[in-house]
Every structure is written in C-alpha cells, then in structure tokens.
Amino acid sequence: MSLPNPYQSYQNNSVQTASPGELTLMLYNGCLKFIQLSKQAIQHKNIQEKNTNCLKAQKIIQELMVTLNMDASVSGTLLPMYDYLNRRLIEANIQSNVEILDEVEGLVKELRDTWKEVIQINRRQQYGQGGRV
C-alpha cells in the first residue's frame, strides 16, 4: 500500500476549494508553465516533449474558450484573443518556433496579471483591504 503524496493532496485540495476566479488564474499559470517547458524542449531538440507541452498549453486555452461566460461584455474581446493564442500555439508547435512561444507567453502573462488584479480588487471590495492573491 503506497502512502498518499502530500503535494498531490495539497494540489487536489487547492483546485477543489478554489473560486472560479482562482481556477482561471491557475489555468493561466499552467499555460505559462507548459509554454516554458515547450521552449526548453525546442532548445534541447526534444520534439516529443515540445509537442506534448504545446498541446497541454492549447488544451488550457481551449478550456478558457469553452468556459467563457458569453453574457459578460469582456467575452467578446477574450474569445478572439483565445482563438488567436490557440492558432499561434499550433504554429509554434508545427514550426518549433520559440519566438512565437515568446509572443504567446507575453500575451498570456498580460491576461494572467490582469485577471490577478481583478481578483484582488474583488477581494478588497468584498473583504476590505486584506484581500491579496
């Protein structure tokens, strides 16, 4: 009988107790992680690792697309942006192109940082000045 992995237990608990906003933040961070791993794989000429991590980043962007609340006005801007990011990830994967991954990474960081700021503002409004992510 194997012992439970404490890190995995923590990760599972984090996801299960996260708010929708925090889950979105986790998705952005995961996407950035897989883009970094893709870039490293390209530099090490590991095509399989590059492909695997590009596909994981794409799946995260696709998840962000399908879970968009289309009733929110910002969704009209986010959906085309996510579509663009997805297409660029496909191109980066096909071409093994680090520059395209750098571009996507920069855009995802901007989205992540903006989302983080929105969460902080909402927490301050809800709980006072102590709400930090």
Side-chain angles (χ1 to χ4, degrees), residues 104-122:
V104 173
E105 181 181 42
L107 293 169
V108 173
K109 279 182 180 177
E110 283 185 42
L111 289 167
R112 188 243 356 238
D113 293 346
T114 301
W115 193 256
K116 189 174 180 179
E117 194 172 316
V118 167
I119 291 172
Q120 289 173 346
I121 290 168
N122 284 339

Side-chain angles (χ1 to χ4, degrees), residues 72-89:
S73 60
V74 72
S75 297
T77 304
L78 283 174
L79 188 59
M81 173 61 79
Y82 290 154
D83 184 56
Y84 175 77
L85 294 172
N86 190 51
R87 284 185 284 115
R88 293 298 278 168
L89 284 167

Side-chain angles (χ1 to χ4, degrees), residues 8-70:
Q8 188 63 43
S9 297
Y10 170 78
Q11 288 288 87
N12 290 341
N13 192 43
S14 294
V15 170
Q16 292 172 356
T17 61
S19 70
E22 290 165 331
L23 287 173
T24 301
L25 192 60
M26 288 178 190
L27 287 172
Y28 284 135
N29 285 329
C31 187
L32 291 169
K33 176 181 113 179
F34 294 126
I35 290 170
Q36 274 297 315
L37 292 171
S38 296
K39 292 192 318 188
Q40 290 171 10
I42 291 170
Q43 292 163 348
H44 292 106
K45 300 191 182 336
N46 187 333
I47 302 305
Q48 184 59 44
E49 278 296 308
K50 179 249 340 178
N51 182 57
T52 297
N53 288 298
C54 275
L55 290 175
K56 287 180 180 181
Q58 280 178 251
K59 286 196 180 299
I60 289 173
I61 296 299
Q62 291 163 2
E63 180 67 19
L64 290 165
M65 290 172 79
V66 298
T67 58
L68 265 179
N69 175 0
M70 294 312 291

Side-chain angles (χ1 to χ4, degrees), residues 38-39 42-43 92 95-103:
S38 296
K39 292 192 318 188
I42 291 170
Q43 292 163 348
Q95 300 173 17
S96 293
N97 189 313
V98 173
E99 290 80 23
I100 295 174
L101 289 173
D102 287 338
E103 173 197 356

